[in-house]
Amino acid sequence: MSTGATARDAREGEPVPVPAPALSPLTTDTVRELLADRKIFPGVPDELGEDTELILDSLGLVWLLHVVEERFGLVVEPTYEDIAGFTSLRRLTGYLSAAQAGRLEGGPDER
């Protein structure tokens, strides 16, 4: 059996556990890379420092959250207060990292 199941597993009809894929941590560099697409984020400076002021429009934020879901399997639904706090790369990364850590610890995807 190609899935790694044994004949005994198949006979007993018990589900064969599939290991969860390892998730890459969301780091500042990762988030910076996600914001590098100038077609989506034209206002983001080329040299985006961790504390440089960051202003994301609603379309850009939706796209960013979509890409985070696609690449990292992380679904977040930030509140208005959370979104108001996305004023720098450091703060945005902190939110996403905390949401990812909560998911990895078995908590909800949201902060």
Side-chain angles (χ1 to χ4, degrees):
M1 298 187 171
S2 63
T3 61
T6 66
R8 179 179 170 191
D9 293 329
R11 274 195 322 265
E12 294 178 5
E14 294 182 18
V16 177
V18 177
L23 296 177
S24 301
L26 281 157
T27 65
T28 302
D29 289 336
T30 305
V31 176
R32 184 181 287 122
E33 176 189 326
L34 296 175
L35 295 172
D37 185 345
R38 295 296 168 243
K39 290 182 262 175
I40 305 295
F41 306 104
V44 174
D46 292 332
E47 297 298 322
L48 182 60
E50 289 187 29
D51 295 313
T52 301
E53 183 178 7
L54 181 64
I55 299 173
L56 298 176
D57 64 21
S58 58
L59 179 60
L61 180 59
V62 167
W63 180 255
L64 175 68
L65 297 178
H66 166 75
V67 173
V68 166
E69 180 179 352
E70 290 292 311
R71 283 175 104 185
F72 299 93
L74 180 64
V75 177
V76 292
E77 295 181 17
T79 65
Y80 288 112
E81 291 80 24
D82 293 327
I83 293 169
F86 297 163
T87 57
S88 69
L89 178 61
R90 181 186 313 273
R91 295 181 97 193
L92 177 58
T93 302
Y95 173 83
L96 293 172
S97 296
Q100 187 180 44
R103 175 176 175 218
L104 293 175
E105 293 171 3
D109 285 349
E110 298 179 40
R111 220 176 53 157

